[in-house]
């Protein structure tokens, strides 16, 4: 039997839970369908969220759910949405466990997922001493020797950004650097070491990186690593529903989180054209989307009485 609800939120991370908080306080019936595998589960601490700086991601999720429990119209289920059919006001969501929901509006907040980079030893240090965001983790490795695993314009961008935390870093491009002569000269002028040999492995002890070993025998000692992840959206369902995507593969939304499909919203990392994947940013986008969804539901109810 289909469970009728106002809003189905796919994804229970900061964006999804923030939207659920708004909608719960607005007295809307909401189900949050969350498979329980957040991308930041590999990290020990989450930074940059005012009043929650340094919190463990697991604690952030626990506290969020405790606070949501104050609003009885919101339910959070550990499940996976597998199919969604229908149109605005009549979306049918079916989960992996066979539960079905009939929702008026949809919000996708499934974030991004990491794809394998095929670098031996990276999994052992990811989230412990290898990071993807200096604004999240740069303070913890300040003034220490770092290795940057990146190439092309992203490597140049990271070289500029990391200079705010340390002047001891080496770029490992893990193959051809993909730079112009002018870009190479820019790095040489600043005496930034660059190695383009493929990476053999990342050596570590208990998750703490010791060095990056290259196939040509070079060893790059370091206390931390920043690397460019390879990402994909956390679900193919928005695309299956016809949501327009950006060139970067993220879901295209307006400033209110509306997608190109009526009644379908998206918020959080999967909507960002630039990789500013911070918890506080995702939560803010979810909050804004929650307000927009509630306003739309109220306007539709108002019009039905006209």
């Amino acid at each position: 039997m289909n469970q009728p609800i106002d809003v189905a939120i796919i994804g229970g991370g900061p964006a999804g839970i923030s939207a659920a908080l708004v909608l719960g306080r607005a007295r809307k019936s909401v189900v949050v369908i969350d498979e329980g595998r957040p991308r930041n589960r590999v990290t020990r601490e989450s930074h940059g969220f005012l009043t929650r700086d340094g919190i463990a991601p697991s604690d952030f999720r626990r506290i969020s759910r405790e606070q949501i429990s104050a609003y009885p119209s919101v339910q959070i289920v550990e499940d996976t949405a597998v199919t969604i059919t229908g149109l605005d006001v009549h979306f049918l969501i079916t989960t992996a466990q066979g539960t079905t929901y009939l929702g008026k509006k949809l919000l996708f907040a499934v974030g991004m997922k990491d794809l394998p980079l095929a670098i031996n030893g990276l999994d052992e240090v990811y989230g412990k001493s290898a990071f993807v965001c200096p604004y999240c983790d740069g303070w913890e490795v300040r003034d220490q020797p770092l290795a940057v695993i990146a190439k092309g314009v992203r490597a140049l961008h990271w070289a500029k950004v990391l200079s705010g935390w340390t002047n001891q870093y080496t770029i490992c491009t893990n193959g051809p650097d993909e730079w112009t002569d002018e870009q190479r000269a820019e790095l040489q002028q600043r005496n930034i070491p660059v190695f383009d040999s493929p990476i053999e492995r990342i050596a570590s002890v208990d998750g703490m990186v010791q060095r990056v070993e290259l196939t040509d025998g070079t060893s790059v000692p370091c206390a931390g690593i920043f690397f460019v992840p390879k990402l994909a959206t956390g679900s193919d369902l928005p695309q299956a529903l016809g949501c327009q995507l950006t060139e970067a593969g993220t879901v295209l939304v307006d400033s209110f989180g509306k997608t190109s499909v009526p009644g379908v919203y998206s918020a959080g990392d999967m909507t960002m054209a630039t990789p500013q994947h911070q918890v506080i940013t995702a939560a803010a986008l979810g909050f804004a989307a929650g307000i927009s969804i509630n306003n739309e539901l109220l306007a539709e109810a108002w019009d039905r009485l006209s």
Side-chain angles (χ1 to χ4, degrees):
M1 183 176 179
N2 302 334
Q3 297 186 37
I5 53 172
D6 291 317
V7 185
I9 299 177
I10 316 301
I17 292 297
S18 185
L21 178 61
V22 173
L23 292 163
R25 290 178 57 81
R27 306 176 71 182
K28 297 298 182 290
S29 57
V30 179
V31 62
V32 180
I33 304 172
D34 180 48
E35 62 183 11
R37 290 180 58 80
R39 185 180 171 218
N40 67 355
R41 68 187 184 277
V42 302
T43 64
R44 294 174 174 173
E45 297 179 345
S46 178
H47 295 280
F49 199 121
L50 194 62
T51 77
R52 288 292 181 263
D53 189 50
I55 192 171
S58 58
D59 288 338
F60 186 92
R61 288 171 62 85
R62 175 183 55 78
I63 294 170
S64 298
R65 280 153 177 73
E66 288 174 355
Q67 294 183 347
I68 285 290
S69 67
Y71 305 97
S73 66
V74 178
Q75 57 175 317
I76 302 175
V77 297
E78 188 166 318
D79 205 343
T80 302
V82 291
T83 62
I84 300 177
T85 58
L87 300 172
D88 189 12
V89 188
H90 296 286
F91 292 107
L92 182 65
I93 304 99
T94 303
T95 73
Q97 296 180 17
T99 307
T100 56
Y101 301 92
L102 187 63
K104 297 176 183 177
K105 305 296 175 184
L106 292 176
L107 172 63
F108 287 104
V110 295
M112 305 294 285
K113 59 183 177 183
D114 288 292
L115 299 178
L117 286 181
I119 298 177
N120 185 25
L122 181 60
D123 288 345
E124 287 77 6
V125 297
Y126 185 20
K128 302 177 182 69
S129 58
F131 312 104
V132 297
C133 172
Y135 290 97
C136 299
D137 299 289
W139 172 263
E140 282 64 40
V141 292
R142 64 193 183 279
D143 297 325
Q144 298 184 51
L146 306 178
V148 177
I149 301 176
K151 62 179 63 179
V153 294
R154 293 295 299 275
L156 288 172
H157 170 73
W158 281 62
K160 296 174 184 177
V161 172
L162 283 174
S163 66
W165 282 273
T166 185
N167 59 7
Q168 306 174 66
Y169 56 90
T170 299
I171 297 177
C172 299
T173 61
N174 196 25
D177 57 38
E178 300 178 2
W179 293 323
T180 64
D181 291 340
E182 290 77 11
Q183 290 170 333
R184 291 189 192 92
E186 186 177 348
L187 292 169
Q188 291 171 358
Q189 182 182 9
R190 289 161 177 79
N191 297 315
I192 299 173
V194 175
F195 297 98
D196 60 6
S197 294
I199 296 173
E200 178 72 28
R201 73 178 186 119
I202 296 171
S204 63
V205 176
D206 295 330
M208 304 309 295
V209 62
Q210 305 294 306
R211 60 192 177 276
V212 178
E213 298 177 357
L214 309 181
T215 56
D216 66 356
T218 301
S219 179
V220 180
C222 55
I225 290 174
F226 282 91
F227 69 97
V228 177
K230 186 177 181 181
L231 301 174
T233 54
S235 172
D236 295 329
L237 288 175
Q239 188 174 6
L241 279 172
C243 295
Q244 186 176 349
L245 304 182
T246 67
E247 292 183 1
T250 55
V251 178
L252 182 66
V253 296
D254 66 10
S255 57
F256 301 101
K258 290 184 178 182
T259 73
S260 58
V261 177
V264 180
Y265 290 73
S266 187
D269 291 355
M270 73 180 304
T271 66
M272 296 182 189
T274 56
Q276 296 178 344
H277 298 160
Q278 285 87 30
V279 172
I280 195 167
T281 306
L285 293 173
F287 192 94
I291 290 176
S292 184
I293 291 170
N294 186 58
N295 287 343
E296 186 171 322
L297 288 168
L298 292 173
E300 290 172 352
W302 181 280
D303 292 342
R304 283 195 297 271
L305 297 176
S306 299

